[in-house]
């Protein structure tokens, strides 16, 4: 199972002692209700998806109930709460028996816990039917193995030859893929070349993200060829999954590769440009949306490191959703839709719209 980097000793303080806090804050009546409260996931309304969350499995002997405590990873249904504890009670606890008192990665469909019982401030309770659970791995960088490409850029940034070329026009000129080679490149090789294009990251430097993508497509023949190929999203998603995974390196200290914080957003911009040809593309677009939602969950945790990522993710999700069904965004004010399709920038005073858009995304991938 691929690691989802919600790991930090800082968050364990909120989880430790949770059961003690529950018992201290509970009256006799609350204790009775806690013992009687149970989760039944069959046919529940307002179900929302949880994917790749990490928490600690515990058994509440008093209430005879299993639970998973998640601290600081963000409340999937509501706007993110970094200082809150979220407890998920499994409807199918056999899925987590083996992880008692251990960290676990889990996914499934959840809904609000049905009983109003006394809990510590900043704690929210949910029921969940777990679809997958497994042990997290240590944060190890995922690097693509060096590819044996039939062609590579003859001059690369950082070399003396690159400096001697002078301006943008000369450097962009030598970075074009020769017409004699371009059509014969496999989609895998072409994707690798495009994602290593020397000026690729310039596309993320535009306030209007669409203009940045337009400039990339106008100035590089490789990206234009790539987007004539079928099912290119699968190739881009491989890079996206790797780049999202590698964000865990931010918690290991300063990292020399600045592209760790830039690469996921660039992948998201490229995914936003995938063409919709009709209903035959729906499953492909749903997979893109599912991947973007998983990436968003990780990015929100690292928001203090890189606040721009959530914007590029909303931009990509908005474009993917709009292409599948333009009417899906009709419930939002026109200026909000324009903001999301322009650059994804929504701010604190838009948090209700952010929450609604996130809930729409989760609803669509159920």
């Amino acid at each position: 199972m691929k690691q989802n980097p919600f790991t930090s000793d800082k968050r364990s303080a909120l989880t430790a002692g949770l059961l003690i806090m529950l018992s201290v804050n509970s009256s006799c009546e609350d204790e009775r209700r806690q013992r009687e409260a149970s989760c039944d996931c069959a046919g529940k309304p307002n179900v929302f998806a949880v994917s790749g969350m990490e928490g600690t499995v515990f058994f509440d002997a008093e209430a005879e109930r299993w639970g998973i405590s998640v601290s600081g990873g963000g409340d999937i249904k509501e706007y993110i709460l970094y200082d809150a504890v979220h407890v998920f009670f499994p409807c199918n606890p056999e899925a987590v028996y083996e992880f008692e008192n251990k960290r676990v990665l889990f996914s499934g469909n959840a809904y609000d816990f049905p009983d109003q019982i006394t809990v510590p401030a900043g704690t929210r309770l949910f029921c969940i039917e777990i679809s997958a659970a497994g042990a997290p791995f240590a944060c190890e960088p995922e690097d693509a193995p060096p590819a044996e490409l039939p062609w590579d850029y003859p001059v690369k940034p950082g070399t003396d030859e690159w400096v001697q070329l002078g301006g943008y026009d000369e450097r962009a000129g030598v970075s074009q893929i020769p017409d004699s080679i371009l059509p014969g490149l496999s989609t895998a090789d072409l994707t690798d070349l495009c994602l290593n294009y020397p000026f690729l990251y310039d596309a993320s430097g535009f306030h209007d993200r669409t203009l940045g993508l337009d400039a990339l497509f106008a100035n590089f023949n490789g990206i234009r060829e790539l987007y004539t190929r079928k099912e290119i999203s699968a190739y881009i998603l491989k890079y996206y999954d790797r780049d999202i995974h590698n964000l865990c390196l931010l918690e290991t200290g300063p990292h020399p590769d600045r592209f760790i914080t830039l690469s996921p957003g660039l992948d998201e911009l490229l995914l936003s440009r995938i063409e919709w040809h009709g209903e035959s593309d729906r499953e492909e677009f749903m997979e893109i949306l599912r991947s973007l939602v998983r990436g968003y969950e990780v990015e929100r945790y690292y928001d203090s490191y890189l606040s721009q990522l959530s914007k590029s993710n909303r931009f990509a999700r908005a474009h993917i959703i709009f292409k599948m069904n333009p009417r899906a965004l009709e419930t939002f004010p026109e200026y909000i839709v324009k903001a999301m399709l322009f650059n994804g920038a929504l701010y604190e005073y838009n948090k209700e719209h952010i929450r609604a858009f996130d809930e729409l995304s989760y609803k669509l991938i159920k």
Side-chain angles (χ1 to χ4, degrees), residues 122-329:
T123 301
R124 292 206 56 193
L125 307 181
F126 304 96
C127 294
I128 183 170
E129 183 166 14
I130 293 176
S131 59
F137 292 88
C139 180
E140 296 291 342
E142 290 186 359
D143 296 313
E148 293 292 334
L149 297 172
W151 180 86
D152 201 359
Y153 298 100
V155 185
K156 297 186 178 182
T159 63
D160 292 339
E161 293 86 349
W162 184 263
V163 174
Q164 293 168 6
L165 284 172
Y168 171 82
D169 290 342
E170 293 79 10
R171 292 170 178 173
V174 300
S175 300
Q176 303 302 303
I177 302 175
D179 292 339
S180 59
I181 294 174
L182 184 57
L185 290 170
S186 69
T187 303
D189 288 344
L190 184 55
T191 304
D192 189 84
L193 285 169
C194 287
L195 290 173
N196 286 282
Y197 174 57
F199 292 104
L200 180 67
Y201 288 87
D202 288 6
S204 60
F206 288 71
H207 180 60
D208 183 341
R209 299 179 193 276
T210 300
L211 290 180
L213 287 168
D214 288 345
L216 173 64
F217 276 75
N219 296 327
F220 181 40
N221 65 343
I223 201 76
R224 294 194 298 271
E225 170 66 23
L226 179 63
Y227 278 70
T228 66
R229 308 290 181 90
K230 293 182 178 180
E231 299 179 350
I232 62 169
S233 63
Y235 295 94
I236 298 175
L237 285 174
K238 289 181 181 179
Y239 280 85
Y240 183 56
D241 289 344
R242 180 200 68 184
D243 293 337
I244 286 293
H245 167 90
N246 285 344
L247 288 176
C248 67
L249 296 172
L250 292 170
E251 288 196 316
T252 65
H255 199 277
D257 187 357
R258 65 184 179 90
F259 294 117
I260 283 179
T261 61
L262 297 176
S263 296
L266 209 293
D267 300 333
E268 288 163 352
L269 294 188
L270 294 177
L271 289 169
S272 76
R273 193 51 76 95
I274 302 293
E275 289 292 333
W276 169 264
H277 300 103
E279 283 300 313
S280 60
D281 292 336
R282 180 164 296 278
E283 184 50 42
E284 177 188 2
F285 270 61
M286 289 299 295
E287 182 56 34
I288 295 172
L289 185 58
R290 283 190 286 265
S291 294
L292 289 170
V293 169
R294 289 194 297 267
Y296 183 60
E297 293 168 1
V298 179
E299 290 168 357
R300 290 194 305 177
Y301 172 68
Y302 292 108
D303 195 57
S304 59
Y305 295 95
L306 26 82
S307 60
Q308 293 298 317
L309 273 185
S310 293
K311 297 175 184 177
S312 60
N313 188 289
R314 279 193 294 271
F315 173 85
R317 279 188 286 144
H319 278 266
I320 293 299
I321 292 171
F322 186 79
K323 289 173 183 177
M324 286 196 293
N325 180 12
R327 299 187 63 181
L329 302 179

